[in-house]
Amino acid sequence: MKKPWGGRFQQSTDSLMERFSASISFDRILYAYDIEGSIAHCKMLAKCKIIKPAEAKKIVGGLQRIAREFDEGRFEIREELEDIHMNIESRLAELIGPVAGKLHTARSRNDQICLDIRMYLRDEVGEILKEILRLGKTLLGLAKKNIDHIIPGYTHLQRAQPVLLSHHLLAHLEMFLRDRERLQDCLKRINIMPLGAAALAGTNFPIDRNYTAKLLKFPEVSHNSMDSVSDRDFLIEFCSAASIIMMHLSRFCEEVVLWSSSEFDMIELSDAFSTGSSIMPQKKNPDPAELIRGKTGRVYGSLVALLTLMKSLPLAYNRDLQEDKEPLFDTVNTVKICLAVFNGMIQSAKFKKASPEKLQSEGFLTATDIADYLVLKGLPFREAHEITGKTVAYCLQSKKNLAQVSLAEFKKLSPKFKEDVLDHISIESSIQRKASYGGTARKNVVEQIERLQKKLKKA
Ligand code: ARG
């Protein structure tokens, strides 16, 4: 098969080399962008009188036909044609004859591939933003629905203080909203039109790059032809934002895994989002959460692969850059499906409430409230801490929880304790008192729900 670049070659390509060099197995997914970009380029060439209107018409018609062939699964991919660009160009020549050869005027595959991945990625980032928004709305809905559900809050994975489940869910929502902002910011640098840089130096033809940008809905053109063909910062930024999304999902998944164990007993996943064991009939496993946690590794891996790919590349285009696509596509696909699966899993899960007695009886969740109580009675916090520590030690010795300590016993620990201490140690009052901005008091959380609801509505 004659290569579009074959002019100066006497021998044909080794078949091993051909296979090694081909990217069509993965870059074929770019076909719609490649064709849309070519149509815009062709229209620009005609507008700038670089090709004739009749030629442009023929080329555009051929490209549209090729797009239909792809859409309907009729396009015949040829590996020996290396990549998506040459597969399309060679089919165009079959369809419309030698005039097809005019399409590549003032263009190179180097700027063409940059255009394709920018168009692809801006669409995909749009999809990911929608997925995050969907998940955000789910979390907000769950926070509303479970507003009276109290859980133990943890630090060091040790029971710390009671919090509202809603507060916990909204903490995760905050993370996902930052993820959205990061992607939106990254989108600004994805959405830049590189075509016209040609191989690296720009072109001799009087092209109108702004016109191409307008046709393809890019708000800006790139400003340096060498940077245009070699810049992959936007991919790295995207993969870094994607890694942070996965890290957030993975942390949440870790909690889902822990919470669904009988040791925590705080969540039950729906049958639709769990799997069984092929040997142990009693098992219901949180596999979606584990898979998402596991897939986080490959997304980090892609980020590192891209950073490493770029670190020693001299300007401008180098063929190494072909290796950017598989990590990119894998990251896009992984993040999208993980967000969707997580959404389905969490939406259909049942949060299991522990009784107030159970919350009260384990882990001294309100010990800090006792210390705060003593501060209210005039003790410095450090002293209050010490007395409360002794109270806990007393409880451990006498096998009691804080609610079982009588007023007389409290008074023995410190004369500062008065009747109203008993009030302070209830789980509900502990929550209610956390009214500092950003705290877990019910009224604060309700306010946050309202704020976030407005924010999500605007998004
Ligand atoms: N398949 C190539 C890539 O992904 C397209 C650009 C090829 N350019 C070249 N000079 N061989 O980067």
Side-chain angles (χ1 to χ4, degrees), residues 438-454:
T440 195
R442 189 184 194 279
K443 98 176 181 356
N444 290 24
V445 175
V446 168
E447 268 170 35
Q448 288 302 318
I449 290 177
E450 282 161 10
R451 180 182 69 83
L452 289 163
Q453 196 149 22
K454 278 191 208 132

Side-chain angles (χ1 to χ4, degrees), residues 23 27 82-83 85 108-110 113 232 317-319 321-325:
S23 56
D27 67 17
E82 215 174 283
D83 58 26
H85 322 300
S108 148
R109 281 184 294 155
N110 299 353
I113 188 62
R232 296 294 183 277
Y317 180 85
N318 299 273
R319 189 63 186 280
L321 289 170
Q322 180 165 300
E323 290 290 312
D324 63 356
K325 278 161 218 64

